[in-house]
């Protein structure tokens, strides 16, 4: 009797999820990740219950938004892409002239009720725009489409880099370029672009990057040169991770983290707390969890019915990977310190909400096949 | 028109995108493996390295305690300074087993239970990685022995710190006070952050009163330390701001003379400049060595100070309250003249005792057979009690208390030190409030000779004498003349503030009282006549005797049979030169019996030293 009921229940739950157009696999994985995130945040914040509760509230909001976005039909998504993109660009320009300065950068726009960063919109709008544009083109991408796409990506990316917010600029830019890559830009073109980029790098260095961004890159090359200034983050973070060893010092027991040697330990540098407290073993497990999420996204992209969906789901999943790679890369001293949070774990609402909206889009794409003949 | 058109081929495009998705998946995997390799290198290969760094290589914030301000006398003689002294300190975080370490340390350096108790107390309120002293003031032998063996003790340090030192030992200790280890009570009255790293705080006297000036502002040092907590290098430093120096009104030469003049007697001398309230000497005998308290006084030393019958810890000058005895008579005389109760030439027959109407009790004069016929001047010069019984009886307690209040009796002088008592000026109201009893006429008589409930502190008596010498103009007595900012040497002078506004004294009345007081010292029948021999200036004075033993109605006070402890206190007040006073002195010699023979010579020595520069 009970067994029958259980079976009924399971299928019932499944039916509800399908009706809500939610991917149970992604839901489970994201839920797990968020749970770990909250636990880790408790430790990283020095057992700050209030901070943890705020993060849980945000998570709940983000999951609701994910469900909402999962229910936007793909066709509508495709059609609003242009408008969303244009609106995003306008808001970026608005921020440039009217924005609020927070932590030395002009990123925020105060709309009375809410304050938000328009650059977050572009994390979704840029891949949507490029995907919807290229979906109308014959693939692989031709020269004209390539140039147009590059322009579409570079305008917001450069605007954001000037704010200055190098981390978001990288995320927005890479989201756009992933679409291009998936749309089959020829390898020779990619090679050529890479060469071009490396040639323009000195120009970027000189004209686009700001002093502190240059300093961070220099610091990465030789962190010992400035142990109290910008090298301090990297040195202390490496010590924290390295001293975690194979099994870690245990939850709440990281001396580096708990003794306040790690700056920004509940936000961008939270992985050093994780590395110290859970060790190499824990790191493998956490990264595997991320990997499965990324692969699930790529799987959904591969099984989508339309080029728009394939390109968008693929690009969003790969962007999620960029978050992970850049964050752990900088915390482990492989990449310069740019403001990229560890997705779904770092304290802070903005990027988390955008990420979950992105997963909402992926879920919407997954459901779309059902409604095709 | 010819245009190259791509034909959309869904199947081909789908395969293209899938291929690219697979390539992406491979790249993602490759990069993730790179990250994992990086983490493997950090956490497995280089684990030892980072683990050591994590345990040891730490940037720490150290508090730099400021040097305490110095204290100088009015001639620039240093009476409180700071000397470097070695301390044994422990950083709790770096010691694995504190009890074991404490036991082992005992083999190399001796520390008392008191030290240990203080260490444990301080440990409770320490900040992380703060070093807490276990033993202060290590001698050279101890430092050498410890230094050689220090490698055996993780978290144990020898640090040179500035310690308070009073080079003149017991000199002026009751004015100066002392510093001692901070306890929890002290912390509640200071800004704790500013005292991070400070181990001592002013406990008494000037050291406590001027704590805020003397302490200074804490500095901060960012240092890198190794696994044993040793400082490897200083990364950043905000130096401390030393405390301000105090320049006292005390003349150390005069103070020394006064202390020496006491010999083995106990008591107090206070000398004030009547022109501004500056305290020239403030003596309470016996003294004690404040240095004992700086380094943590041993239980034994403390017990011997505390239990000593001469009570050296007791600050007689400020906290000692004595009946003023006959020293109060010039004030009464003035009161009588001012209130027109008496006139200068009015005479009275003194037969050795005074009778209240309808009472049988005899109020005796100190001279059994009486002084005969006396006027006011005679009564002051010879200190006739009967005259003042009569005067006070006629004046009444209310007029007495009102008048005496104007000279500051019964209230604190407001000196810049700690522990001052207010004395007691009896009044009808006071008795009603404290004892719920009406005032009896007999009490007026007793008050009239400065006995009974009437109490003064030596400081108060000196200050009132100074006021008397200046026709009632009274200042807030103070010990500090100027505060000097340590770095710039900039000096802030402390202003001499007049207190009250008593200027009603008629010149002639006041001159008469002053002349009577000059007669006490220089007149042949004066009670302090012997001290005038060879005196090169004119002194106005008054002797006094304070009873602490009540003689029953028909008994007689016999000096010989009364034990030392119960013998009367000897008092003397004076100011000189009488015409243009530069110094006012009050002396109390406990159990000294006679003001004229015991207390007055001390005052003479002090006045000589100040006015003539003799020592």
């Amino acid at each position: 009797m009970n067994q029958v009921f259980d079976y009924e229940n399971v299928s019932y739950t499944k039916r509800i999820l399908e009706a809500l157009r939610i991917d149970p696999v992604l839901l489970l994985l994201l839920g797990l990740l968020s749970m770990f995130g909250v636990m880790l945040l408790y430790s990283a914040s020095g057992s700050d219950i209030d901070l943890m509760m705020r993060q849980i509230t945000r998570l709940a909001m983000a999951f609701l938004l994910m469900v909402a976005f999962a229910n936007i039909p793909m066709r509508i998504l495709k059609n609003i892409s242009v408008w969303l993109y244009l609106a995003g660009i306008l808001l970026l320009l608005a921020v440039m002239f009217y924005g609020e300065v927070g932590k030395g950068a002009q990123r925020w726009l105060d709309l009375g009720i809410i304050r938000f960063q328009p650059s977050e919109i572009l994390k979704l709008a840029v891949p949507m725009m490029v995907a919807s544009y290229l979906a109308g083109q014959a693939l692989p991408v031709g020269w004209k489409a390539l140039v147009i796409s590059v322009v579409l990506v570079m305008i917001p990316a450069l605007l954001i880099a000037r704010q200055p917010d190098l981390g978001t600029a990288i995320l927005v830019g890479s989201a756009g370029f992933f679409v291009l890559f998936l749309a089959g830009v020829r390898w020779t073109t990619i090679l050529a672009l890479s060469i071009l980029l490396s040639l323009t790098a000195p120009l970027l260095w000189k004209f686009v990057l700001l002093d502190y961004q240059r300093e961070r890159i220099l610091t990465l090359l030789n962190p010992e040169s400035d142990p109290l200034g910008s090298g301090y983050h990297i040195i202390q973070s490496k010590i924290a991770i390295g001293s975690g060893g194979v099994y870690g010092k245990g939850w709440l027991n990281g001396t580096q983290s708990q003794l306040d040697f790690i700056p920004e330990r509940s936000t961008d540098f939270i992985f050093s707390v994780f590395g110290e407290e859970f060790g190499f073993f824990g790191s493998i497990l956490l990264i595997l969890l991320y990997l499965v999420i990324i692969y699930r996204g790529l799987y959904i992209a591969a099984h989508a019915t339309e080029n728009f969906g394939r390109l968008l789901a693929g690009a969003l999943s790969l962007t999620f990977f960029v978050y992970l790679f850049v964050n752990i890369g900088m915390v482990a001293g492989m990449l310069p310190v740019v403001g990229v949070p560890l997705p779904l774990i770092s304290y802070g609402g903005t990027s988390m909400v955008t990420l979950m909206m992105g997963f909402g889009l992926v879920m919407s794409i997954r459901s779309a096949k059902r409604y095709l003949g | 028109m010819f245009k190259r058109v791509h034909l959309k081929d869904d199947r081909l495009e789908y395969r293209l995108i899938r291929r690219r998705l697979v390539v992406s998946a491979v790249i993602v995997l490759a990069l993730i493996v790179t990250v994992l390799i990086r983490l493997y290198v950090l956490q497995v290969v280089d684990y030892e390295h980072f683990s050591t760094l994590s345990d040891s290589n730490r940037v720490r914030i150290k508090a730099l305690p400021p040097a305490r301000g110095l204290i100088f006398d009015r001639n620039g003689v240093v009476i409180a300074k700071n000397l470097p002294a070695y301390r044994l300190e422990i950083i709790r975080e770096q010691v694995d087993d504190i009890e074991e370490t404490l036991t082992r340390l005992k083999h190399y350096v001796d520390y008392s239970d008191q030290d240990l108790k203080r260490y444990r107390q301080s440990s409770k309120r320490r900040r992380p990685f703060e070093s807490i002293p276990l033993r202060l003031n290590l001698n050279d032998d101890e430092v050498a022995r410890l230094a050689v063996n220090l490698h055996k003790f993780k978290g144990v340090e020898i640090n040179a710190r500035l310690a308070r030192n009073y080079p003149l030992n017991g000199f002026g200790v009751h004015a100066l006070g002392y510093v001692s280890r901070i306890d929890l009570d002290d912390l509640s009255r200071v800004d704790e952050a500013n005292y991070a790293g400070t181990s001592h705080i002013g406990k008494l006297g000037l050291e406590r009163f001027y704590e805020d000036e003397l302490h200074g502002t804490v500095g901060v040092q960012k240092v890198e330390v190794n696994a044993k907590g040793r400082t490897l290098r200083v990364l950043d430093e905000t130096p401390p701001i030393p405390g301000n120096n105090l320049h006292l009104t005390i003349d150390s030469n005069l103070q020394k003379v006064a202390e020496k003049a006491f010999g083995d007697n106990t008591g107090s001398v206070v000398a004030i400049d009547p022109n501004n309230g500056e305290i020239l000497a403030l003596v309470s005998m016996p003294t004690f060595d404040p240095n004992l308290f700086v380094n943590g006084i041993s239980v034994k030393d403390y017990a011997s100070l505390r239990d000593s019958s001469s009570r050296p810890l007791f600050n007689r000058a400020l906290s000692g309250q004595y009946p003023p005895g006959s020293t109060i008579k010039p004030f009464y005389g003035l009161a009588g003249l001012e209130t027109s109760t008496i006139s200068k030439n009015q005479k009275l027959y003194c037969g050795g005792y005074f009778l209240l109407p309808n009472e049988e009790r005899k109020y005796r004069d100190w001279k059994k057979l009486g002084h005969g016929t006396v006027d006011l001047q005679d009564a002051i010069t010879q200190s006739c009690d009967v005259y003042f019984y009569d005067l006070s009886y006629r004046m009444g307690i209310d007029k007495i208390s009102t008048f005496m209040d104007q000279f500051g009796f019964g209230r604190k002088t407001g000196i810049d030190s700690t522990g001052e008592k207010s004395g007691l000026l009896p009044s009808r109201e006071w008795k009603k409030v404290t004892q719920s009893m009406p005032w009896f006429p007999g009490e007026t008589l007793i008050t009239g000779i400065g006995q009974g409930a009437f109490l003064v502190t030596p400081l108060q008596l000196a200050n009132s004498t100074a006021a008397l010498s200046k026709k009632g103009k009274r200042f807030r007595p103070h010990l500090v003349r100027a505060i000097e900012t340590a770095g710039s040497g900039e000096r802030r002078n402390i202003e001499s503030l007049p207190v009250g506004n008593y200027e009603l004294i008629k010149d002639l009345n006041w001159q008469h009282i002053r002349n009577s007081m000059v007669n006490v010292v220089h007149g042949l029948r004066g009670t302090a006549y012997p001290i005038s021999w060879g005196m090169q200036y004119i002194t106005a004075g008054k002797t006094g005797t304070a009873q602490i033993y009540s003689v029953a109605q028909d008994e007689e006070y016999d000096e010989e049979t009364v034990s030392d402890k119960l013998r009367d206190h000897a008092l003397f007040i004076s100011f000189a030169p009488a015409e243009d006073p530069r110094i006012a002195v009050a002396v109390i010699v406990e159990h000294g019996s006679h003001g004229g023979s015991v207390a007055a010579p001390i005052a003479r020595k002090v006045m000589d030293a100040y006015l003539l520069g003799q020592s």
Side-chain angles (χ1 to χ4, degrees), chain B residues 404-405 407-412 421-426 454-456 460 464:
Chain B
M404 299 309 273
D405 178 63
F407 279 89
F409 289 103
R411 60 175 75 198
K412 290 183 182 176
K421 290 267 162 58
S422 62
L424 206 169
L425 175 61
F454 204 156
L455 293 173
V456 296
Q460 214 171 36
S464 303

Side-chain angles (χ1 to χ4, degrees), chain B residues 288-305:
Chain B
F288 60 94
D289 185 356
N291 290 309
L292 289 173
F293 286 86
V294 177
N295 295 321
I297 189 165
S298 73
V299 176
K300 200 176 119 242
D301 285 349
Y302 185 70
S304 80
L305 282 177

Side-chain angles (χ1 to χ4, degrees), chain B residues 73-342:
Chain B
D73 88 331
R74 72 186 293 128
N75 307 316
V77 178
V78 182
I79 49 184
K81 62 178 178 181
N82 305 307
L83 285 181
Y86 288 99
R87 293 179 180 180
L88 181 62
E89 300 187 331
I90 299 177
I91 299 175
R92 182 65 188 85
E93 276 78 0
Q94 288 165 350
V95 181
D96 297 325
D97 183 346
I98 184 73
E99 295 309 321
E100 186 258 1
T101 301
L102 287 171
T103 317
R104 272 199 300 140
L105 270 174
K106 196 102 195 179
H107 300 302
Y108 299 96
V109 64
D110 193 38
Y111 59 85
S112 66
D113 292 346
Q114 193 88 2
D115 290 328
L116 190 63
K117 205 176 123 200
R118 274 198 206 98
Y119 167 77
R120 293 196 200 280
Q121 232 170 38
S122 314
S123 289
K124 282 182 197 146
R125 62 157 192 105
R126 71 173 169 21
R127 291 163 302 119
F129 293 100
E130 188 185 335
S131 54
I132 301 292
L134 173 65
R135 248 294 303 276
L136 307 173
N137 210 27
L138 298 170
N139 63 33
D140 289 349
D141 281 354
E142 290 168 324
V143 171
R145 208 173 327 129
L146 276 169
V148 172
N149 293 292
L150 213 54
H151 64 276
K152 299 178 193 161
F153 295 98
K154 216 177 135 195
V156 176
E157 297 181 335
I158 300 173
N159 288 321
R161 298 277 165 94
L162 287 176
R164 198 55 151 181
N165 179 266
Y166 303 102
L168 305 176
N169 299 322
F171 167 86
V173 65
H174 292 290
L176 203 53
Y178 54 80
V179 299
S180 190
R181 291 281 286 272
I182 295 184
D183 59 35
L184 289 172
D185 276 356
D186 299 321
L187 276 179
S188 62
R189 62 188 164 91
V190 296
D191 170 15
E192 225 174 300
N194 197 31
Y195 278 73
T198 302
S199 55
H200 285 65
I201 192 168
K203 292 275 184 182
L204 271 184
L206 286 171
E207 290 273 30
R208 174 157 181 172
F209 191 89
Y210 286 99
E211 176 64 30
D212 291 347
E213 296 284 353
L214 289 165
H215 181 265
T217 308
V218 70
V220 177
Q221 199 178 44
K222 240 185 199 172
V223 294
E224 198 182 317
V225 290
N226 69 8
K228 286 180 177 161
R230 310 256 187 275
T231 301
L232 294 180
R233 62 195 169 120
V234 177
L235 300 170
D236 190 23
E237 183 175 314
T238 313
I241 302 167
N244 297 330
N245 298 335
L246 299 185
H247 291 267
L248 303 191
T249 57
I250 299 258
D251 182 327
S252 57
N253 191 34
L254 196 64
Q255 177 88 11
K256 259 183 231 165
V257 167
E259 287 181 5
K260 219 174 127 201
F262 258 88
D264 292 333
N265 286 317
T266 65
S268 173
V269 185
V270 178
I272 293 182
D273 183 339
N275 301 297
N276 48 27
E278 291 183 355
I279 294 175
L280 304 170
L282 188 133
V283 175
S284 171
M285 294 300 284
T287 63
F288 60 94
D289 185 356
N291 290 309
L292 289 173
F293 286 86
V294 177
N295 295 321
I297 189 165
S298 73
V299 176
K300 200 176 119 242
D301 285 349
Y302 185 70
S304 80
L305 282 177
R306 185 193 54 207
D307 301 335
S308 161
S309 60
S310 60
R311 300 173 69 202
L313 295 177
F314 183 55
N315 187 348
R316 292 169 166 83
L318 269 60
S319 312
Q321 303 185 98
Y322 306 86
S326 302
T327 58
I328 208 71
K329 285 173 182 164
F331 297 92
Y332 283 145
L334 190 58
L337 293 175
E338 285 284 302
T339 57
S340 306
T341 314
I342 50 167

Side-chain angles (χ1 to χ4, degrees), chain B residues 415-491:
Chain B
I415 188 179
D416 46 354
S417 189
T418 61
E420 189 189 10
K421 290 267 162 58
S422 62
L424 206 169
L425 175 61
S427 68
R428 215 181 281 277
E429 204 190 332
W430 160 79
K431 199 170 175 202
K432 208 170 150 191
V433 170
T434 56
Q435 298 175 18
S436 311
M437 296 263 274
W439 185 263
F440 298 118
E443 291 173 304
T444 309
L445 301 194
I446 301 294
T447 305
I449 56 161
Q451 309 283 2
F454 204 156
L455 293 173
V456 296
T457 67
L459 171 69
Q460 214 171 36
L461 196 56
N463 201 41
S464 303
T465 304
L468 183 64
S469 79
K470 300 298 281 185
K471 259 173 64 176
K473 194 174 180 195
R474 189 155 50 93
F475 291 92
R476 185 180 72 86
H478 53 282
L479 289 161
V480 174
R481 290 176 99 190
I483 296 170
E484 176 190 352
T485 309
S488 64
E490 187 191 325
R491 278 171 80 136

Side-chain angles (χ1 to χ4, degrees), chain B residues 542-605:
Chain B
K542 181 72 192 83
T543 57
T545 305
Q547 287 176 6
I548 45 173
Y549 177 77
S550 344
V551 184
Q553 255 312 287
D554 299 310
E555 257 182 283
E556 254 178 68
Y557 174 80
D558 184 354
E559 213 171 284
E560 303 299 317
T561 60
V562 173
S563 77
D564 266 9
K565 285 293 282 180
L566 297 173
R567 215 181 277 165
D568 293 345
H569 297 321
L571 288 89
F572 187 71
I573 59 169
S574 64
F575 56 88
E579 295 283 336
D580 178 25
R582 285 166 52 207
I583 182 169
V585 184
V587 183
I588 290 180
V589 180
E590 289 183 347
H591 317 298
S593 283
H594 293 297
S597 56
V598 183
I602 294 176
R604 161 95 197 254
K605 283 181 186 160

Side-chain angles (χ1 to χ4, degrees), chain A residues 39-306:
Chain A
M39 259 180 62
L40 185 59
L41 193 63
Y42 181 70
S43 173
S45 64
S47 311
D48 186 341
I49 298 268
D50 288 347
L51 186 131
M52 203 175 86
M53 289 317 290
R54 280 200 295 277
Q55 182 81 344
I56 290 174
T57 314
R58 278 184 198 144
L59 270 169
M61 265 179 55
F63 269 88
L64 284 177
L65 276 169
M66 178 186 79
V67 175
F69 271 58
N71 283 281
I72 303 173
M74 199 170 72
R75 205 153 291 280
I76 294 179
L77 286 178
K78 198 173 163 184
N79 292 334
I80 61 166
S81 294
V82 186
W83 305 110
L84 196 63
Y85 177 83
L86 287 176
I89 297 282
L90 281 175
L91 286 171
L92 272 187
L93 291 171
V95 145
M96 230 169 120
F97 297 109
Y98 307 108
E100 275 187 32
V101 179
K103 279 193 184 174
Q106 205 166 21
R107 298 172 189 172
W108 296 90
L109 201 63
D110 198 339
L111 291 186
I113 320 161
I114 46 163
R115 249 160 47 102
F116 75 111
Q117 301 182 9
S119 54
E120 290 296 321
I121 295 178
L122 288 148
K123 282 182 184 169
L124 299 179
V126 167
M128 280 168 78
M129 177 69 224
V130 181
S132 79
Y133 169 69
L134 291 180
Q137 305 290 317
L139 302 184
V141 183
W143 276 108
K144 191 180 141 204
L146 176 70
V147 171
I148 290 174
S149 303
V150 168
V151 171
L152 285 176
V153 176
M154 288 312 282
I155 291 173
L158 288 176
L159 281 175
I160 294 167
R162 285 304 297 182
Q163 276 183 353
D165 186 351
L166 198 58
T168 310
I170 288 171
L171 290 167
V172 168
S174 51
F177 282 112
F178 286 141
V179 180
L180 267 173
F181 174 75
L182 293 175
V185 175
R186 284 183 190 82
W187 289 106
T188 46
T189 314
I190 294 173
L191 191 72
L193 270 177
S194 313
I195 292 169
L196 191 70
L197 196 71
S198 54
L199 286 178
T200 53
L203 292 174
L204 281 176
W205 179 266
K206 207 163 175 195
F207 297 109
V208 179
L209 296 185
L210 296 175
D211 277 348
Y212 86 95
Q213 292 167 334
R214 270 173 244 161
E215 193 190 325
R216 280 178 181 177
I217 294 169
L218 287 176
T219 304
L220 178 82
L221 300 175
N222 185 14
E224 312 293 332
S225 67
D226 185 15
L228 265 187
S230 45
Y232 184 77
H233 284 52
I234 298 175
I235 293 173
Q236 293 300 342
S237 168
K238 273 163 70 180
I239 293 174
I241 296 174
S243 66
V246 177
Y247 301 107
K249 296 175 185 170
W251 188 51
L252 300 178
N253 285 332
T255 52
Q256 283 284 99
S257 343
Q258 303 299 339
L259 288 178
D260 229 349
F261 280 100
I262 302 173
E264 304 278 334
R265 61 198 162 107
S266 25
T267 54
D268 288 357
F269 277 77
I270 198 164
F271 185 78
S272 36
V273 179
F274 185 88
E276 184 180 24
E277 298 192 345
F278 297 96
F280 186 55
F281 245 52
S283 303
I284 291 179
L285 287 177
L286 183 74
I287 289 170
L288 276 182
L289 185 54
Y290 276 111
L291 187 66
V292 177
I293 292 173
I294 294 159
Y295 276 15
R296 177 64 183 175
L298 294 178
Y299 175 86
I300 290 172
H303 290 83
T305 48
E306 253 188 90

